[in-house]
Amino acid sequence: GQFQKYFDRDLHNQSIKRIISKNTINNFEGWLISMKYINQQNYEENLEDVETVKFSKLTLHNYKHIILKFLNFVAELYDLKPVDMVMQQPKYSSKYHLTEDDMQKLLLYQPKNQTEAEVMDILTLNKDIGLRISEILNIQKENITVLPDCAEIRFIESKKSKERTIIVVEPSGIDVIIKHLEFDKLWKIKTYDKFDYAIKQIAKKVFGEETIKIYKIDTANSDYVEVKKCDAIS
């Protein structure tokens, strides 16, 4: 939709051959930035103390990558030379990684409902095996074998889409597995989003107004910003 607005204003009189170029992609990026600035200034009635909202480098990269694929699709239709443009994905902003002290504080939390209790069980199990939450939530009961001194879990590794087996040796983790094997389904929480929401609610109660500084990447500036620890945890 944004590219159509740009096309109608700046490109509609140009030949397709001329449009299929790096210049179109780079000029579209500049147009996006300028339009966002103008639209915000109009919305804020040109108040001088309003900070301009900027695109992140990653957002601009994604916009440009979409248009690159689109232009090369059009080039193939018209038997034209495709745009030869290699785009490097910019670095993400830093995420907050739990410290050992943070984890210990979370593990001391007393759950107030069934969902929180399940989240705490997942934390107890996963603190020693370190699976992705989506991998934890997709474990099938029939892929778990409890042995006298450990438990074997077969799971699908989400990043490489292949099956792996992990061994749980920590007694607290084994206890969680045995407890949940008694239920119809291993977990009642089905999605990452539901887990993420629940862990943030727990973090609000555990950490309150505690803050942490996170390195943020912006279009113009990169710096540390202070955010609530409960908002940064996921």
Side-chain angles (χ1 to χ4, degrees), residues 104-155:
Q104 293 302 329
K105 286 181 181 179
L106 282 173
L107 291 170
L108 291 174
Y109 177 75
Q110 297 300 312
K112 303 299 188 294
N113 54 52
Q114 189 179 48
T115 298
E116 289 189 349
E118 186 161 288
V119 168
M120 297 306 300
D121 283 345
I122 291 173
L123 290 181
T124 300
L125 169 64
N126 204 38
K127 68 182 175 63
D128 296 306
I129 60 178
L131 298 187
R132 298 176 181 88
I133 294 302
S134 59
E135 293 168 344
I136 287 276
L137 297 180
N138 287 319
I139 293 172
Q140 305 296 312
K141 285 176 61 176
E142 54 268 30
N143 287 344
I144 297 175
T145 304
V146 178
L147 301 170
D149 57 350
C150 66
E152 293 181 355
I153 300 176
R154 289 188 295 125
F155 69 98

Side-chain angles (χ1 to χ4, degrees), residues 2 9 28-56 60 219-220:
Q2 293 295 334
R9 200 195 76 162
F28 175 59
E29 176 184 24
W31 180 85
L32 282 172
I33 294 171
S34 63
M35 284 299 101
K36 186 158 190 173
Y37 176 78
I38 291 170
N39 290 341
Q40 187 196 357
Q41 293 300 103
N42 290 339
Y43 177 76
E44 301 290 353
E45 297 180 351
N46 295 317
L47 297 177
E48 293 183 0
D49 59 344
V50 175
E51 183 179 355
T52 303
V53 177
K54 302 180 182 69
F55 284 104
S56 71
L60 288 172
T219 304

Side-chain angles (χ1 to χ4, degrees), residues 4 17 28 41 49-50 57 61 75 92 98 131 144 161 172 182 188 204 211 228 230:
Q4 182 175 349
K17 186 175 182 179
F28 175 59
Q41 293 300 103
D49 59 344
V50 175
K57 290 182 179 180
H61 166 84
Y92 290 88
L98 287 173
L131 298 187
I144 297 175
S161 296
S172 59
E182 297 296 319
K188 290 184 172 58
K204 286 180 182 179
T211 60
K228 285 186 179 180
C230 59

Side-chain angles (χ1 to χ4, degrees), residues 55-85:
F55 284 104
S56 71
K57 290 182 179 180
L58 185 62
T59 298
L60 288 172
H61 166 84
N62 291 340
Y63 271 54
K64 290 170 67 178
H65 187 67
I66 290 168
I67 300 307
L68 173 61
K69 293 178 71 174
F70 171 67
L71 292 182
N72 284 341
F73 169 76
V74 174
E76 185 175 355
L77 287 179
Y78 287 86
D79 197 26
L80 297 171
K81 184 179 178 181
V83 180
D84 184 15
M85 187 175 186

Side-chain angles (χ1 to χ4, degrees), residues 121-214:
D121 283 345
I122 291 173
L123 290 181
T124 300
L125 169 64
N126 204 38
K127 68 182 175 63
D128 296 306
I129 60 178
L131 298 187
R132 298 176 181 88
I133 294 302
S134 59
E135 293 168 344
I136 287 276
L137 297 180
N138 287 319
I139 293 172
Q140 305 296 312
K141 285 176 61 176
E142 54 268 30
N143 287 344
I144 297 175
T145 304
V146 178
L147 301 170
D149 57 350
C150 66
E152 293 181 355
I153 300 176
R154 289 188 295 125
F155 69 98
I156 299 173
E157 186 180 23
S158 59
K159 206 164 190 178
K160 298 182 180 178
S161 296
K162 66 179 183 179
E163 185 181 84
R164 287 183 54 199
T165 299
I166 198 164
I167 309 298
V168 181
V169 297
E170 197 67 31
S172 59
I174 297 172
D175 289 344
V176 168
I177 291 171
I178 293 173
K179 169 185 171 183
H180 283 266
L181 284 174
E182 297 296 319
F183 302 148
D184 292 337
K185 299 286 186 181
L186 195 65
W187 314 113
K188 290 184 172 58
I189 296 175
K190 300 298 182 185
T191 64
Y192 174 87
D193 289 343
K194 187 172 182 180
F195 179 90
D196 193 54
Y197 176 80
I199 194 67
K200 279 181 164 57
Q201 297 307 303
I202 292 172
K204 286 180 182 179
K205 301 169 188 174
V206 172
F207 299 110
E209 297 298 313
E210 287 185 43
T211 60
I212 188 74
K213 286 189 175 181
I214 295 181

